[in-house]
Each structure stands twice: as C-alpha cells, then as structure tokens.
C-alpha cells in the first residue's frame, strides 16, 4: 500500500467517525425515521464529498473545525439523493452498497421521509458551523458557504440535473451531448463543486481561486460520471454492491451509448487531466487530491 492509499484509509475512518457524531439519537415517537436516516448514512460509501471538502480546505490553508459541520451536511445531502433516487418512483433499486436500499428495508413511505429528513437535517447541521465562528470574517465565510452548498444541491444544481435526467429517460427521445453534459454537470458535478467550493470558501479563498476550484470540481464530476456510465457496462456487481446493466435495461442513453466505450474512456482521462492541471496551478499542496482524482476516474466501484 502506498502512502496516499494509507492516508485515504485513515482520512475515511476519521470522516466516518465525524459523520456518525452528527447523526441524531434514535429515540422518541419518530424513532423509525431516525433509524432509517442513520441506516442510510452509515451503510458505507466512499465518503468522497466530505473528503474532497476537507482536503480543499486544507490545501487552501484552512485550519480548525469550521469545516466539520459542512462535511457532515454534504454527506447527508448526498445520502438523501441516493435514498430518493432508489425509490420505486425513480430507479426502483433494491440494493445499494451491498445492502438493502432504505425503502426496501423500511418501506416506501419511510424512504421518502428519511430522504426529506436528511435534507432538512443537513441544513440544521451546516448551521451549527456558526457556533465555531470566532470572528466576523469566519461568520461571513459560513454564510457564503451555506449559499453555495444549497444552491448546488437544488434546482440550479443536483435537483435540476435529476429533473432533466428523469424526463429524458421517460421520453426515451434522443439525448444530445449538450443535454447529457447538462445532466452530468448538474446531477453529479454540482455536489462535487459544492464540496470543493465550500472547503475553499471556509478556508478564506478569494473569488478567483474559488472559481478555479469550481471548474476543477466540474471536470472531476464529469469524468466521475462518465466512469459511472462505463461501470454500468463493464463493472462487477459484487465489487460495485449494486446491479450493473441497468442503463441498457432501461434503454437509457449515457455517455457510453452516445460516444462509445473507447471514446468514453479517453474523455474520462481528458476531463480528469483538466481537473488535475487546475490543481497544479493553485498555490497549496495538492499532491493528495491529484492522486485521489487519478484513483477516482480509474475506480472499479
Ligand atoms: C433524487 C434529487 C435527487 C437526486 C438524485 C445522486 C443522484 C441524483 C442519483 C444517484 C444515481 C447516480 C448515478 C448519481 C450520479 C452521482 C453518483 C455517481 C453518485 C454515487 O456517488 P458515489 O459513487 O457513492 O460517491 P457512494 O456510495 O460511494 O457514496
């Protein structure tokens, strides 16, 4: 195992602990929804978004724990999106991360509520960052980071992308590359943009640096989603912890159906290289993030 691999393992474990500490206690008459929320968040996953946020925060010179509530909040937002995406009304998936999806385990109504509750609790959690602020400058950063986080999760971000995706799939019409890039950019890249931008903003990055980081995360997100499309064709169900071939089964048009497997592979590399070269232009130590980007776009799960 190289040093970065060991670093990632240690960072993932630390993030797991941090997220767990922010989850609600399972008690009261609403206990079932609390259990469903915690089951969904603790089911595993790469913890990519909080790790990206924390590493960007560090790279941009951030110190202290201002970033921590935001790390927990973004994982809650990500988890809610997966919980809702798996519902019968959307993808109707029974397994994720090798376990029953939330609705399959707790029932459909509770699946809806657990997703709603996670999004709401993400707001409550991110707001806790105000209690860590020690001066006016930090308070301003938290306000700005909140704006970015919820914009990128919303109609001008992930929900916007999911809307275009659901409609395109339903219509079974021809999807253009422009529309596909809109879907990938909003559904997938927006939350990665939110992760890295909030990390940068909380560390005190200026407008120009924050915009460079947004662009970097956008390219990473596109590469990450093309890899997801590729894995749906070439991936291994056991390794992925979910079924493969669902795009083809649903006659879904993806980057692979549009451009072919070979070009999709090449484009993944092009987009990730663009992201990496932006990291190289920035002043801070980006060695870990550059390694992580390479690993993500070559991932098998
Ligand atoms: C329901 C509003 C709403 C949005 C759903 C996230 C999403 C949008 C759909 C899930 C399906 C999907 C393929 C999304 C693209 C982003 C993506 C690859 C998510 C999976 O993220 P990982 O790989 O998951 O980081 P883990 O399990 O590691 O946390």
């Amino acid at each position: 195992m190289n040093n970065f691999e060991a670093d990632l393992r240690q960072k993932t474990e630390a993030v797991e602990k941090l997220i767990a500490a922010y989850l609600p206690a399972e008690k009261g008459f609403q206990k079932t929804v609390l259990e469903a929320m915690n089951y969904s968040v603790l089911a595993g996953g790469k913890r990519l978004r909080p790790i990206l946020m924390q590493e960007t925060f560090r790279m941009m010179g951030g110190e202290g724990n201002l970033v921590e509530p935001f790390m927990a909040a973004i994982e809650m937002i990500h988890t809610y999106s997966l919980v809702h995406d798996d519902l019968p009304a959307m993808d109707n998936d029974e397994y994720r991360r090798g376990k029953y999806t939330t609705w399959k385990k707790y029932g459909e109504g509770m699946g809806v509520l657990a997703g709603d509750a996670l999004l709401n609790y993400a707001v409550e959690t991110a707001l806790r960052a105000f209690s860590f602020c020690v001066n006016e400058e930090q308070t301003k950063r938290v306000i700005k980071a909140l704006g970015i986080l919820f914009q990128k999760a919303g109609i001008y971000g992930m929900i916007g992308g999911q809307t275009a995706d659901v409609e395109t799939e339903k219509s079974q019409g021809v999807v253009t590359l422009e529309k596909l890039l809109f879907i990938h950019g909003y559904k997938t890249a927006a939350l990665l943009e939110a992760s890295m931008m909030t990390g940068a903003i909380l560390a005190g990055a200026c407008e120009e640096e924050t915009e460079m980081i947004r662009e970097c995360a956008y390219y990473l997100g596109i590469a990450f989603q093309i890899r997801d499309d590729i894995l749906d064709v070439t991936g291994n169900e056991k390794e992925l912890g979910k079924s493969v071939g669902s795009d083809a089964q649903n006659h879904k048009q993806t980057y692979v159906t549009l451009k072919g497997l070979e070009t999709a592979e090449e484009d993944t590399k092009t987009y990730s290289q663009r992201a990496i070269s932006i990291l190289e232009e920035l002043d801070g130590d980006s060695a870990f993030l550059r390694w992580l980007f390479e690993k993500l776009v070559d991932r098998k799960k």
Side-chain angles (χ1 to χ4, degrees):
M1 201 192 301
N2 69 30
N3 274 350
F4 285 135
E5 199 71 60
D7 270 6
L8 177 62
R9 195 169 280 198
Q10 179 254 318
K11 286 176 202 295
T12 309
E13 276 168 26
V15 166
E16 298 266 350
K17 279 198 188 124
L18 182 125
I19 295 167
Y22 276 95
L23 291 175
E26 295 172 4
K27 57 182 185 195
F29 284 117
Q30 72 276 55
K31 190 168 182 255
T32 311
V33 80
L34 301 168
E35 281 175 8
M37 289 165 77
N38 294 351
Y39 170 81
S40 318
V41 176
L42 298 174
K46 294 181 281 300
R47 312 304 185 192
L48 171 62
R49 292 150 192 84
I51 289 174
L52 282 176
M53 190 187 286
Q54 189 170 46
E55 287 311 304
T56 309
F57 180 74
R58 283 203 187 125
M59 176 177 74
M60 300 311 289
E63 283 171 14
N65 47 13
L66 199 57
V67 73
E68 290 179 358
F70 280 89
M71 290 166 63
I74 201 146
E75 192 66 9
M76 290 174 198
I77 296 173
H78 166 61
T79 307
Y80 115 75
S81 78
L82 301 180
V83 169
H84 279 185
D85 190 64
D86 290 334
L87 284 167
M90 290 215 190
D91 277 2
N92 195 17
D93 281 320
E94 299 189 350
Y95 289 95
R96 179 175 290 278
R97 299 159 168 171
K99 296 197 169 92
Y100 269 152
T101 49
T102 309
W103 75 266
K104 183 73 186 161
K105 188 166 166 75
Y106 291 92
E108 214 175 318
M110 214 43 78
V112 173
L113 283 172
D116 292 342
L118 280 169
L119 176 58
N120 201 84
Y121 207 59
V123 180
E124 296 175 61
T125 302
L127 288 172
R128 287 171 70 177
F130 283 116
S131 66
F132 294 141
C133 293
V134 293
N135 54 42
E136 210 177 306
E137 169 59 26
Q138 287 196 335
T139 305
K140 279 189 192 157
R141 289 180 194 174
V142 169
I143 292 170
K144 201 166 168 196
L146 284 169
I148 294 290
L149 178 60
F150 291 103
Q151 182 204 344
K152 296 285 178 191
I155 50 176
Y156 302 109
M158 185 178 69
I159 294 177
Q162 178 76 350
T163 304
D165 195 21
V166 166
E167 275 189 350
T168 306
E169 202 176 337
K170 225 183 191 172
S171 75
Q172 308 251 316
V174 178
V175 65
T176 59
L177 184 61
E178 185 194 7
K179 191 161 183 193
L180 196 67
L181 285 175
F182 172 89
I183 294 170
H184 286 8
Y186 276 58
K187 184 178 90 168
T188 308
L191 225 50
L192 303 190
E193 289 175 33
S195 308
M196 294 187 70
M197 288 172 82
T198 47
I201 289 165
L202 293 170
C206 68
E207 290 289 335
E208 196 191 332
E209 288 166 330
T210 308
E211 173 52 23
M212 282 172 80
I213 282 167
R214 188 206 58 75
E215 204 183 349
C216 167
Y218 169 78
Y219 289 135
L220 173 71
I222 299 293
F224 187 75
Q225 183 58 56
I226 301 176
R227 170 62 60 206
D228 204 65
D229 291 353
I230 293 173
L231 284 175
D232 198 66
V233 179
T234 64
N236 175 301
E237 291 199 358
K238 250 199 175 136
E239 253 181 303
L240 282 167
K242 60 174 189 177
S243 51
V244 296
S246 58
D247 291 341
Q249 216 169 2
N250 298 330
H251 306 288
K252 186 168 179 173
Q253 294 175 74
T254 68
Y255 207 86
V256 176
T257 59
L258 211 67
K259 292 202 137 192
L261 206 50
E262 208 174 306
T263 310
E265 288 278 4
E266 282 165 17
D267 290 358
T268 309
K269 294 210 164 53
T270 308
Y271 280 116
S272 65
Q273 272 315 314
R274 280 189 203 166
I276 288 169
S277 59
I278 296 176
L279 284 180
E280 283 165 348
E281 278 174 51
L282 289 158
D283 277 342
D285 177 4
S286 62
F288 177 79
L289 277 177
R290 282 185 275 130
W291 170 82
L292 183 63
F293 280 24
E294 299 264 13
K295 184 183 161 78
L296 283 172
V297 295
D298 279 335
R299 75 198 154 96
K300 304 273 179 288
K301 61 179 192 174

